[in-house]
Amino acid sequence: MSSNSEEKPDELSESRAKELELDESEQREVDELGRAKAIVIHEVIRLEGEHELQRPSLALAFSGLAAGLSMGFSLVAEGLIYSALPDESWRILIASFGYTVGFLIVILGRQQLFTEKTLTPILPLFNKFTAKKFGRVMRLWAIVLASNLIGGLIFAAIIGYTEIFSEDVRQGFTQIARKELQGGFGNLVLRGIFAGWLIALLTWLLPAVPSSRLSIIIIITYLVKLAGLAHIIAGSIAVFYLIVTGSITWGEYVGGFAIATLLGNIIGGVSFVAALNYGQIAPQNR
């Protein structure tokens, strides 16, 4: 019994191969397939990140602006569902599905969303760190974040200054938005970390199961909303609505939401990358 427990993994594989009557080439193929999946996904995302780091600033800005506008439909869909339901404890369970709409449009439409960019451009940087590449990552982050927020502000202004939606729906927007501001600075950072981690996980999962992209996006983003986690773009659009309608000030947005949430999202996304690289990818490359 003790001798078997001390047996090395390779020896166990050889023993199992003999039981299954696998020849040497077949056993080698099993070993390669078993190790390949994480590395393949890593390389798909890393190559995408390399491509994004080379994209012109104007292209990034227009894509980021489109993403910011598209993310506004998360607030619209959630508000429409929320206002149509009675004020019961289960209301949030159904209304939260509306939150997934903006993410579906952005991700399936290949638009640039900041929280996704806490993963894709960081993989090339971790793979080979250089000052030049670090500068490109900062350029991409700054352009995408700024254009996302500008697009979100435009969308919030449109629904806030016009009467496209009924008063009941507008009240729903306000109630949803106020929940984004709940909790102090530390609480928002933690909520941002978990949101950043989940969105990075979403980005990692999509190449692994291309046939299930729709369900993965819905499940992960629904969880983000249901758990009350803080997403810098989706949350900012909701809070922008409060600013546009005169409910809060810009200072309350920056100090009471934006800084803490942005910090948390970056920590969560980059931590996920670090875990991938040094937890399961780097050891296989030694």
Side-chain angles (χ1 to χ4, degrees):
M1 183 73 175
S2 60
S3 62
N4 288 338
S5 63
E6 294 173 358
E7 203 171 7
K8 294 180 180 179
D10 286 345
E11 292 171 347
L12 289 171
S13 297
E14 290 173 10
S15 174
R16 180 62 177 161
K18 289 178 181 178
E19 291 178 16
L20 298 173
E21 298 181 352
L22 297 178
D23 60 31
E24 186 176 344
S25 64
E26 289 171 330
Q27 182 185 352
R28 186 163 51 251
E29 186 176 353
V30 169
D31 291 339
E32 289 173 355
L33 287 172
R35 289 193 298 265
K37 196 65 176 180
I39 295 176
V40 168
I41 297 169
H42 177 278
E43 282 302 292
V44 168
I45 298 174
R46 185 188 67 79
L47 289 173
E48 182 181 348
E50 294 279 10
H51 171 71
E52 289 174 351
L53 291 176
Q54 302 298 327
R55 290 186 68 181
S57 298
L58 190 60
L60 289 173
F62 273 110
S63 183
L65 183 66
L69 290 166
S70 298
M71 284 300 299
F73 287 104
S74 282
L75 177 60
V76 167
E78 188 179 358
L80 289 170
I81 299 171
Y82 187 89
S83 62
L85 297 173
D87 188 9
E88 300 290 345
S89 58
W90 46 264
R91 190 185 207 180
I92 189 174
L93 294 175
I94 300 176
S96 294
F97 277 109
Y99 184 80
T100 69
V101 172
F103 289 94
L104 284 167
I105 297 171
V106 168
I107 296 172
L108 296 179
R110 306 289 292 177
Q111 297 168 356
Q112 296 282 329
L113 183 64
F114 176 75
T115 42
E116 281 189 283
K117 303 314 154 194
T118 57
L119 175 66
T120 46
I122 295 296
L123 288 184
L125 184 65
F126 275 34
N127 185 64
K128 186 177 181 181
F129 187 95
T130 65
K132 184 177 181 180
K133 192 170 287 186
F134 178 78
R136 286 178 176 172
V137 171
M138 292 299 102
R139 176 188 71 97
L140 185 146
W141 277 10
I143 293 171
V144 173
L145 177 61
S147 57
N148 282 174
L149 293 176
I150 291 169
L153 179 58
I154 293 171
F155 192 97
I158 293 171
I159 64 173
Y161 287 135
T162 66
E163 296 183 358
I164 297 174
F165 300 102
S166 67
E167 184 60 30
D168 287 345
V169 175
R170 289 161 65 87
Q171 288 179 5
F173 294 158
T174 299
Q175 292 175 34
I176 291 166
R178 288 201 174 279
K179 292 179 182 178
E180 297 288 345
L181 299 171
Q182 293 176 352
F185 187 90
N187 179 272
L188 274 168
V189 171
L190 288 173
R191 285 161 54 197
I193 289 173
F194 278 97
W197 189 280
L198 281 171
I199 298 301
L201 174 62
L202 168 62
T203 305
W204 176 262
L205 288 174
L206 290 178
V209 279
S211 61
S212 304
R213 290 170 62 87
L214 193 67
S215 57
I216 289 172
I217 296 169
I218 292 173
I219 290 169
I220 297 295
T221 55
Y222 175 72
L223 178 59
V224 170
K225 181 60 182 181
L226 193 61
L229 304 181
H231 185 274
I232 185 59
I233 306 305
S236 287
I237 295 170
V239 181
F240 287 158
Y241 181 81
L242 295 179
I243 295 173
V244 167
T245 55
S247 299
I248 67 167
T249 65
W250 279 102
E252 289 175 289
Y253 162 69
V254 174
F257 178 81
I259 295 174
T261 301
L262 178 60
L263 179 62
N265 285 172
I266 292 173
I267 293 172
V270 174
S271 296
F272 183 80
V273 176
L276 287 176
N277 274 271
Y278 299 107
Q280 60 175 319
I281 302 301
Q284 294 182 29
N285 292 327
R286 288 173 187 160

